[in-house]
Amino acid sequence: MTFDEVIGQERTAQRLLQLLQARRMPHALMLCGPEGCGKLALGLALASHLLDNSSLLHNWEHPDLHFSYPVVRPADASSTTMITSDDYVREWRTRILQSPYLSMEQWLTCMKAGNQQAVIYEAESDALTRKLSMKSSQGGYKVVLMWLPERMNEACANKLLKLLEEPPQQTVFILVCEEPDRLLETIRSRVQRVDVPRVKEEDIAAALVKQRGLEETAARRVAHFAEGSWLKAVEVLEADSERRLLFDMFRQLMRLAYARNLKDLKKWEETVSTFGRERQRRMLTYFSSMVRENFMSNFGERELCYMSDEEEAFASKFSRFVNEANVIEMMELLQQAYVEIGQNVSAKTVFYDLALQMIVLLRKQ
């Protein structure tokens, strides 16, 4: 894979190429950015260059390229089974061959994860230590590409830290990260961070015309709605049904909270509590974006809004209830709920508390 295959991100690609050409490649690099910005694609392109674009990379099976990523416990695994990325290597290679743009939702579907949350377990660091103790098969670099290292458990993170402190010779670690603040500070201090921005609208539009055959007008509309994420652009094209579901949950919550309808709010909480935790986290992220969009709409900043026709129709009546008096508290409330769901706090407790507090906030003017 080459950097030319990455959608946009020319400046970041040029920076990585300059490190290669100047022979100043750090032993550990962390590409940080939001979902869909192309950081995994950049990491794959960099790995390809480090391994001289070997023909062995055709199926991402190069002996000196080691992938690490969050996984779930297989259905047939016992409680004592050591779980590593190798348990899903076939699914991983198949998925990144389809596209170097990948979301956690898509990866969970590939693994048939059900309601499980994906984790990088302690055994992963042990496996990497064993693999990296071997000499390079081609006499060049050994490359570790770790996708979403923030999902390492504590034991795994501590062992990875030792690898980063004393890296094997001719080894480059490429960490592809969305939430760097969740990583140990000691790990963050031992990597060179490269921030990957959202993809420019014009780059997404150009890719939609070239790769998806859209007319330019339609491509620009989708690109604007995508907010710098190629994954979101693809979701828009595929008329993602989950977004409509999440919008319905948002609309119900706000209407019931404003009406102080405790009986139906309890039913709402019971419904969203049946969602898997990954979907619940996506829902809370979506709710935060809708609060932001309605706040901007309240001030008439339509050019800064990214909503569907149905979302805009709701915002035309609802946005006046999201204002300077409550918007910060709303965002903090949703963020706290997001954190608690990630910490496995009871979903029923989290969402009912969220609903009750929203009743108070919507009345603030």
Side-chain angles (χ1 to χ4, degrees), residues 35 43 49 55 63 65 69 79 86 106 114 129 136 156 164 168 174 185 204 210 225 242 258-259 295 319 327 342:
E35 183 181 89
H49 277 269
S55 60
L65 175 60
Y69 36 82
S79 59
D86 290 342
Q106 292 168 337
T129 300
S136 167
C156 180
L164 295 176
I174 305 172
E185 170 60 31
I204 291 180
K210 181 178 180 180
F225 189 75
E242 184 179 71
Y258 184 76
F295 182 66
S319 62
V327 65

Side-chain angles (χ1 to χ4, degrees), residues 229-289:
S229 168
W230 176 251
L231 286 171
K232 189 172 181 180
V234 173
E235 287 178 2
V236 173
L237 290 181
E238 294 174 351
D240 182 36
S241 60
E242 184 179 71
R243 186 178 179 93
R244 292 195 296 273
L245 169 66
L246 299 185
F247 169 63
D248 188 48
M249 293 296 101
F250 177 77
R251 180 169 52 187
Q252 284 185 41
L253 171 62
M254 296 308 171
R255 285 176 172 172
L256 294 173
Y258 184 76
R260 302 184 182 184
N261 188 334
L262 296 179
K263 180 179 178 180
D264 286 343
L265 278 173
K266 183 64 177 175
K267 292 179 181 178
W268 178 89
E269 165 259 300
E270 290 172 351
T271 297
V272 297
S273 293
T274 64
F275 296 172
R277 287 192 178 265
E278 291 295 340
R279 172 171 279 186
Q280 288 167 353
R281 282 157 64 93
R282 293 195 301 274
M283 182 182 75
L284 289 165
T285 298
Y286 172 80
F287 282 12
S288 294
S289 71

